[in-house]
Amino acid sequence: MKTPSLVTVLSTADFDSAVWTNKQHLAVGLAEDDLHVNYIESLGLRRPGLNRSDLKRIASKLTRGSAAPTSASRQRPHNLHVFTPLAIPVHGSRPIRRANHTLVHHSIQKKIKRSQDPGVLWTFSPLTYGLEKAHSHTIYHSVDLLHELPGVPRKALLDAERRLLDCADVVIASSEVVKKHLEGSGRKDVLLWENVAHTEIFADRGEQKVPRAIFAGNLTPSKLDFQLLRDIATRGVPVTLAGPIAVDGAGGGTEIAELLDHPQVTYLGNLDLEALAAQIRTSMVGLVPYKVNGYTAGVFPMKVYEYLAGGLAVVSTALPSLASKQITGLEIVPRGEFAHTVSSAIARFDREEAALRSMSATRYSWKNRLADVRKLLGELHG
């Protein structure tokens, strides 16, 4: 099947975000497969606050534009082009949305690399400002219940999503909860593509395991239950944390400070993929200590398969996207039993079971997912 020569990825995250998710992995995977990829960074769906991280991000966007990557940027395939859209991050206002339509058109549509084929728009954002009209096909890939995030214009996002569901050629959901939401909004042919991982990088290599639990990801109060992490540490279980702090602008204040001051807690900062994989492979338990709220109800954490590939036992709170799954090595527990379950999993850790967990995770790889992507693009383009 013939695939399009151009794919434009409209992301909800900047390319050089501290933690990569499926947006960046998809774009890089397609570019490494010799497709021309335009990566459009976040439109800034969450209204910024008056805090250092948000103000710094706004200043960076205003000065960066579609400039070449800096020395701090991650390595990009030669045929992947990153663009920073100009948009006022107050999308709930109709007059501002009209202004943003013009800003996005001039900052993006006139600059993106084109070929004779208009290509495919692969959007992770329900708000597109008409970018789908410049492409021959549109794929809407919903990986979160974005309208449930604090600080976003809920009504504007839901209205935009309903319009997008009417015109998209293909609609993909990353979890059963997101799929049900999209079906309830009127789209009945939603594909379920749950998040995957670079399992070959995280795969257990027989290293010596340290009796510790690890959490890898954004240390943000809107998602994480910091009390659960403190409970684990208070039981005497070493806890290792890796990832950026409070990327959602919510701060974290004393909660994070108290956690990092605990003698059983080690904070490694934000690690690149290889360094993170090495830390995971030498741990025993992977943690998914998420709060269960309107937003996290739709989250299917990529880290589940990263942990399992490393041979770890995985302990998670009762996220709806995971609670109905039968995944080898994953334990879903009530909040009150979380710390006890983590401690018990370390006490009974078994190398043979670790090898089985690692093997079972291999099918949930980006290699297999990109094969699905190529097949889908070929069918769509053909």
Side-chain angles (χ1 to χ4, degrees), residues 21-290:
T21 59
N22 37 30
K23 299 98 174 173
Q24 296 96 333
H25 291 307
L26 173 74
V28 170
L30 290 174
E32 289 176 344
D33 203 28
D34 291 332
L35 292 177
H36 291 285
V37 178
N38 294 318
Y39 185 97
I40 302 175
E41 296 188 302
S42 171
L43 294 163
L45 300 181
R46 178 179 59 82
R47 189 167 187 157
L50 293 176
N51 57 72
R52 182 182 296 180
S53 62
D54 280 358
L55 294 175
K56 183 178 178 181
R57 187 173 176 222
I58 291 170
S60 174
K61 280 182 172 289
L62 290 174
T63 57
R64 191 165 77 242
S66 56
T70 66
S71 58
S73 299
R74 304 205 190 199
Q75 187 173 2
R76 306 173 186 176
H78 69 91
N79 50 339
L80 187 151
H81 306 275
V82 178
F83 296 89
T84 302
L86 290 178
I88 304 167
V90 190
H91 305 278
S93 164
R94 186 172 296 177
I96 290 180
R97 287 202 301 274
R98 285 198 292 267
N100 279 341
H101 195 284
T102 301
L103 286 171
V104 170
H105 176 77
H106 285 285
S107 64
I108 296 298
Q109 287 193 359
K110 290 189 173 183
K111 294 181 180 178
I112 59 176
K113 233 178 226 310
R114 297 195 174 279
S115 61
Q116 292 182 343
D117 174 11
V120 172
L121 175 67
W122 195 301
T123 179
F124 291 90
S125 171
L127 198 60
T128 63
Y129 287 114
L131 286 170
E132 67 275 9
K133 296 175 183 177
H135 297 82
S136 57
H137 298 287
T138 298
I139 296 171
Y140 176 40
H141 193 160
S142 180
V143 298
D144 289 306
L145 298 174
L146 287 175
H147 57 279
E148 294 285 358
L149 276 170
V152 302
R154 179 186 177 92
K155 184 178 184 303
L157 290 185
L158 289 172
D159 289 345
E161 184 174 70
R162 280 189 285 270
R163 291 191 293 270
L164 188 58
L165 291 174
D166 284 340
C167 70
D169 298 273
V170 178
V171 177
I172 302 170
S174 67
S175 72
E176 291 281 5
V177 175
V178 172
K179 184 173 184 285
K180 288 177 182 176
H181 160 71
L182 297 173
E183 289 171 341
S185 298
R187 189 72 183 233
K188 303 304 181 185
D189 58 344
V190 181
L191 299 178
L192 179 63
W193 281 9
E194 290 166 334
N195 289 339
V196 292
H198 284 289
T199 53
E200 71 283 358
I201 296 175
F202 289 85
D204 185 14
R205 300 174 186 174
E207 295 102 326
Q208 181 67 38
K209 300 284 189 182
V210 178
R212 67 180 180 185
I214 188 168
F215 172 80
N218 292 319
L219 296 164
T220 175
S222 63
K223 290 172 69 174
L224 277 193
D225 190 333
F226 290 109
Q227 183 60 52
L228 292 182
L229 294 169
R230 284 197 297 273
D231 290 346
I232 296 167
T234 300
R235 280 181 168 267
V237 176
V239 176
T240 297
L241 306 175
I245 293 175
V247 295
D248 60 1
T254 57
E255 265 199 310
I256 292 180
E258 290 174 3
L259 177 64
L260 299 185
D261 282 342
H262 197 289
Q264 290 287 358
V265 173
T266 301
Y267 177 54
L268 302 176
N270 194 50
L271 305 176
D272 63 36
L273 201 63
E274 294 284 354
L276 176 62
Q279 292 295 329
I280 286 177
R281 289 196 303 266
T282 52
S283 301
M284 288 188 177
V285 176
L287 304 174
V288 188
Y290 281 14

Side-chain angles (χ1 to χ4, degrees), residues 194 285-289 299-301 303-305 307-309 311-333 338 341 345 348 353 356-358 360-361 364:
E194 290 166 334
V285 176
L287 304 174
V288 188
V299 170
F300 189 103
K303 61 180 62 65
V304 168
Y305 292 123
Y307 294 154
L308 291 173
L312 280 63
V314 182
V315 180
S316 174
T317 49
L319 294 178
S321 61
L322 296 177
S324 62
K325 310 303 291 185
Q326 297 294 321
I327 299 176
T328 302
L330 171 65
E331 284 192 74
I332 308 292
V333 297
F338 197 90
T341 303
R348 65 174 189 271
E353 291 180 0
L356 290 174
R357 287 192 289 266
S358 182
S360 71
Y364 303 104

